[in-house]
């Protein structure tokens, strides 16, 4: 039997289809041109979204992956095209997002000669990816692609980089589909220790004041229902990390709010009072723990995680429960006794009421004065019945959105957590509309982040991507300004922003738009935005020197939170 010979570029197309890829984000160039030529014949199988910058391709792939649960794919050229994706690769690594980045490269015979647009992308990205590999032969394409997708999606997800030499794109090979499901020395899901399961259940059964910390690992592991049964069986209150906010519905009676620097007062205070602390799929980030030496020192600690490297990395725990949390949570739940912690749960109320009185109500119902960020966020989530996907940029807009948006469905928050990448929001929201086309995507961003990826309005225009853009414009780099106010004696060094006319820009991109400056026009403007088919830009002029509160200041204990700035 004579096997069919095809180019490496064609082999890539077939391999992507074989992996179930339907959507990819990219930007063409010289070193990847054979692949884009092959893509021309796959328009029915592969929907390529032309972004306006390669970093946006990576972020769009992240947004797609986060809401769909599938691997995001981006396709770019060599040199600057490849290096422009590096921020997105690092962001995906920090936030455990499964992305495969395919980059063009000069031919193998030209490697090391400083050829035009040559860059050692494997060397650059090895520290910030799960796997980086250079394809130098067409016969390696099918294997490399299958291995890349296996590594990206398995275990703790993350980004993989394929550096595709041009000679491998144009060379001929006998193509056979590959299915990689094993890599020597790579153990994506560690074996669960049954003794650890027993010890965890024993600790929880004996707890008087348990507290569960819910991380994004619950979402990544599709363990939302297992989490609910776990906390409901033992009657345990829970707090959520930024990336874990939609793993547990906001209205759940045991959900005590967000953890960390700008989290809920009650959840942070009770972290320092609980007797058993149970972390599920979270990594004890410094924005969660505050001062590590005093973090929950009174508590016995249980850590559910799929990644052994996270155990005892920041916080030493008593019982590590390694494995897939969908399985480990169920295993521990099976050994739990029905709990009743009403008195402990009621003790959260005092702090929740204090925060509501001093922070939340003045933010969402200010009554007079300039519009506040929190009231805009709360009004949008109410008018979408808490069912929309929240995408944010980074800064005050991110923290306010996280605090005041509410979630009723899983996989509903897309934000840059570990890297805190400004410019993330706009392209990530584009990706989210392709990953969850049946859902409303609401993007909150500030005037600073807007200008970092404003060119992606072109992508939105071309695709008619139905992103509802809510621009919270305070004419400042707001988060930095807040820190300058609090810690640098109000010396606002290069944080005031001279902004363009965003409505004119949106109109130039054929995107319907409106600006709201007065509170009495806000609800009608949001209703119009939500009723408009396709994209929409709603700019809201918000208070210039607003604050995100509560706040745990850097270096302080996690329960030492400011409720007001004097």
């Amino acid at each position: 039997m004579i096997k069919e010979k095809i180019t490496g570029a064609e082999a890539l197309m077939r391999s992507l289809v074989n992996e179930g890829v339907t959507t990819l984000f990219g930007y063409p160039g010289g070193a990847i041109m054979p692949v884009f030529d092959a893509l021309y014949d796959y328009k029915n199988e592969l929907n390529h979204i032309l972004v306006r910058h390669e970093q946006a391709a990576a972020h769009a792939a992240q947004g797609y992956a986060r809401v769909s649960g599938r691997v995001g794919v981006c396709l770019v050229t060599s040199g600057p095209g490849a290096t422009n994706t590096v921020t997105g690769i690092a962001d995906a690594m920090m936030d455990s997002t499964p992305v495969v980045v395919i980059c063009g490269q000069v031919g193998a015979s030209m490697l090391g000669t400083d050829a035009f647009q040559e860059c050692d992308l494997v060397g650059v990205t090895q520290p910030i990816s799960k796997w980086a590999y250079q394809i130098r032969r067409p016969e390696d394409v099918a294997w490399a692609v299958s291995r890349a997708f296996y590594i990206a999606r398995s275990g703790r997800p993350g980004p993989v980089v394929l550096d595709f030499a041009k000679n491998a794109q144009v060379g001929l090979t006998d193509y056979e589909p590959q299915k990689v499901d094993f890599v020597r020395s790579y153990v994506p899901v560690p074996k669960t220790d049954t003794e650890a399961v027993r010890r965890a259940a024993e600790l929880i059964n004996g707890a008087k004041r348990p507290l569960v910390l819910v991380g994004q690992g619950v979402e990544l592991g599709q363990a939302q229902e297992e989490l609910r049964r776990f906390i409901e069986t033992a009657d345990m209150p829970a707090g959520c990390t930024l990336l874990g906010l939609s793993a547990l519905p906001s209205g759940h009676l045991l959900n005590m709010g967000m953890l960390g620097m700008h989290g809920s007062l009650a959840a942070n205070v009770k972290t320092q009072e609980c007797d058993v602390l149970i972390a599920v799929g979270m990594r004890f980030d410094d924005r969660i723990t505050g001062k590590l030496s005093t973090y929950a020192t009174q508590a016995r600690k249980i850590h559910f995680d799929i990644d052994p490297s996270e155990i005892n990395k920041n916080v030493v725990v008593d019982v590590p429960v390694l494995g897939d949390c969908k399985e480990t949570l169920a295993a521990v739940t099976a050994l739990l006794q029905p709990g009743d912690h009403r008195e402990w749960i009621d003790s959260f109320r005092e702090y929740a009421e204090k925060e509501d009185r001093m922070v939340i109500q003045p933010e969402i119902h200010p009554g007079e004065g300039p519009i506040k960020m929190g009231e805009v966020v709360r009004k949008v989530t109410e008018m979408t019945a808490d069912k929309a996907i929240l995408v944010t940029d980074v800064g005050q807009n991110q923290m306010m959105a996280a605090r005041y948006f509410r979630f009723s469905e899983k996989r509903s928050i897309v934000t840059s957590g570990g890297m805190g990448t400004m410019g993330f929001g706009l392209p990530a929201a584009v990706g989210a509309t392709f990953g969850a086309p049946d859902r409303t995507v609401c993007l909150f961003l500030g005037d600073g982040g807007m200008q970092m990826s404003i060119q992606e309005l072109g992508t939105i225009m071309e695709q008619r991507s139905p992103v509802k853009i809510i621009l919270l414009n305070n004419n400042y780099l707001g988060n930095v300004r807040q820190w300058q106010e609090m810690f640098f004696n109000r010396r606002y060094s290069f944080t005031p922003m001279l902004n363009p006319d965003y409505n004119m820009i949106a109109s130039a991109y054929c995107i319907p738009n409106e600006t709201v400056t007065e509170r009495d026009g806000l609800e009608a403007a949001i209703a119009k935005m939500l009723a408009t088919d396709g994209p929409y830009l709603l700019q809201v002029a918000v208070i210039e020197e607003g604050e995100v509160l509560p706040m745990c200041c850097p270096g302080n204990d996690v329960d030492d939170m400011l409720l007001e700035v004097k």
Side-chain angles (χ1 to χ4, degrees):
M1 180 179 177
I2 300 176
K3 294 181 180 179
E4 180 185 11
K5 284 191 176 293
I6 60 174
T7 66
E10 171 81 8
L12 174 62
M13 297 299 105
R14 295 192 186 186
S15 297
L16 292 176
V17 171
N18 192 49
E19 290 294 333
V21 175
T22 58
T23 305
L24 57 160
F25 307 86
Y27 202 93
I32 198 68
M33 207 173 295
V35 169
F36 272 86
D37 185 66
L39 182 60
Y40 191 84
D41 295 324
Y42 279 78
K43 292 179 180 178
N44 293 331
E45 294 97 335
L46 297 169
N47 183 24
H48 177 268
I49 310 304
L50 177 66
V51 297
R52 280 17 183 201
H53 191 282
E54 292 89 354
Q55 181 177 337
H59 292 327
Q62 288 177 270
Y64 175 90
R66 293 269 281 273
V67 300
S68 69
R70 305 175 69 184
V71 178
V73 182
C74 67
L75 184 62
V76 300
T77 195
S78 64
T83 57
N84 280 345
T85 67
V86 167
T87 297
I89 295 166
D91 195 297
M93 189 68 176
M94 287 284 277
D95 288 350
S96 303
T97 306
V99 172
V100 172
V101 180
I102 303 166
C103 304
Q105 182 57 279
V106 302
S109 63
M110 303 286 287
L111 291 169
T113 68
D114 289 336
F116 178 67
Q117 292 190 336
E118 180 191 357
C119 174
D120 180 9
L121 186 65
V122 171
V124 169
T125 58
Q126 274 183 332
I128 56 171
S129 63
K130 285 188 75 177
W131 185 52
Y133 180 76
Q134 189 173 76
I135 304 173
R136 298 188 180 188
R137 307 185 310 161
E139 52 265 42
D140 293 336
V141 171
W143 166 84
V145 171
S146 182
R147 180 180 169 116
F149 276 81
Y150 170 65
I151 291 173
R153 67 164 66 99
S154 61
R156 179 179 181 175
V160 169
V161 177
L162 292 178
D163 195 35
F164 199 0
K166 198 166 186 179
N167 64 288
Q169 298 175 41
V170 300
L172 297 177
T173 182
D174 297 326
Y175 175 77
E176 287 186 8
Q178 298 287 314
K179 183 63 177 178
V180 174
D181 56 10
F182 170 78
V183 175
R184 190 176 62 183
S185 78
Y186 171 57
V187 182
V189 182
K191 185 179 180 180
T192 301
D193 181 356
T194 55
E195 176 61 17
V197 169
R198 186 196 65 78
R199 290 171 56 208
E202 183 179 353
L203 269 183
I204 294 168
N205 285 333
K208 303 297 183 185
R209 301 181 306 279
L211 178 62
V212 180
L213 312 183
V214 179
Q216 189 195 195
V218 174
E219 298 264 59
L220 297 174
Q222 297 287 344
Q224 296 89 348
E225 288 305 314
E226 286 77 10
L227 173 73
R228 281 208 223 189
R229 286 193 288 271
F230 176 68
I231 64 173
E232 289 170 0
T233 298
D235 195 32
M236 296 183 289
C240 299
T241 67
L242 173 64
L243 296 184
L245 281 174
S246 64
L248 186 65
S250 302
H252 194 287
L253 293 176
L254 294 173
N255 189 342
M256 301 299 164
M258 187 168 74
L259 301 160
M261 177 175 282
H262 290 295
S264 300
L265 177 64
N268 283 349
V269 168
K270 294 302 176 177
T271 296
Q272 303 294 77
E273 295 180 10
C274 67
D275 61 356
V276 176
L277 189 71
I278 306 115
V280 185
M282 54 88 72
R283 56 187 179 85
F284 290 109
D285 176 78
D286 59 284
R287 290 294 174 100
I288 296 295
T289 64
K291 187 177 179 182
L292 268 175
S293 62
T294 58
Y295 178 73
T297 54
Q298 80 292 338
R300 303 289 296 275
K301 300 178 184 70
I302 302 166
H303 192 176
F304 290 79
D305 212 287
I306 200 169
D307 185 355
S309 71
E310 291 297 341
I311 302 299
N312 297 329
K313 184 175 80 174
N314 295 326
V315 173
V316 177
V317 300
D318 298 276
V319 183
V321 185
L322 285 168
D324 184 334
C325 65
K326 190 175 183 68
E327 299 174 359
T328 55
L329 283 173
V332 172
T333 302
L335 301 179
L336 294 182
Q337 300 165 2
D340 183 355
H341 297 110
R342 279 174 290 183
E343 185 176 345
W344 165 238
I345 293 168
D346 286 345
S347 72
F348 284 71
R349 186 174 300 126
E350 172 190 351
Y351 298 97
E353 290 174 349
K354 182 178 182 181
E355 181 182 348
D356 187 67
R357 181 179 70 255
M358 295 184 65
V359 178
I360 296 175
Q361 290 305 316
E363 182 68 31
I364 65 174
H365 297 300
E368 57 185 13
I371 301 172
K372 293 192 173 183
M373 290 189 184
E375 66 176 307
V376 180
V377 174
R378 183 55 60 89
K379 183 65 67 175
V380 171
T381 192
E382 287 174 352
M383 294 178 69
T384 56
D386 300 338
K387 294 183 180 299
I389 290 172
L390 169 67
V391 184
T392 83
D393 205 80
V394 167
Q396 286 187 319
N397 65 88
Q398 177 187 36
M399 292 295 99
M400 284 296 195
R403 282 186 51 80
Y404 295 108
F405 210 79
R406 293 176 61 82
F407 306 95
S408 62
E409 298 184 16
K410 63 185 180 181
R411 289 191 175 274
S412 292
I413 182 168
V414 180
T415 191
S416 174
M419 281 290 284
T421 304
M422 287 181 68
F424 173 89
L426 203 54
V430 172
T433 64
F434 286 95
D438 57 333
R439 299 185 64 190
T440 300
V441 175
C442 294
L443 164 65
F444 288 88
L445 75 173
D447 40 312
M450 176 77 170
Q451 293 189 72
M452 283 200 171
S453 55
I454 198 168
Q455 76 284 340
E456 295 313 308
L457 293 176
T459 306
I460 291 174
M461 173 182 66
E462 181 173 356
Q463 300 295 331
R464 301 304 299 162
S465 182
V467 181
K468 307 305 181 186
I469 306 167
I470 302 100
L471 172 58
L472 301 173
N473 191 343
N474 60 6
N475 296 304
Y476 274 103
L477 297 175
N479 214 41
V480 182
R481 185 215 57 77
Q482 179 172 334
W483 283 49
Q484 289 173 336
E485 177 183 356
M486 296 175 67
F487 310 123
F488 293 89
N489 199 30
R490 287 185 164 85
R491 290 161 58 88
Y492 294 160
S493 180
F494 298 97
T495 47
M497 294 284 286
L498 179 61
N499 283 306
D501 188 325
Y502 289 110
N503 295 98
M504 289 185 67
I505 293 172
S507 294
Y509 282 106
C510 305
I511 298 172
N513 58 86
E514 184 178 356
T515 292
V516 174
T517 59
E518 301 295 333
R519 179 169 290 108
D520 57 9
L522 180 60
E523 185 169 336
I526 294 171
K528 183 178 178 181
M529 174 186 71
L530 295 174
T532 301
D533 290 335
Y536 197 96
L537 171 66
L538 176 60
Q539 178 178 211
V540 184
V542 297
I543 185 170
E544 290 196 344
E545 296 187 58
E547 319 292 354
V548 184
L549 296 169
M551 181 176 181
C552 172
C553 298
N556 286 14
D557 294 350
V558 70
D559 61 338
D560 184 7
M561 301 196 80
L562 293 176
L563 296 180
E564 57 186 349
V565 176
K566 298 179 180 178

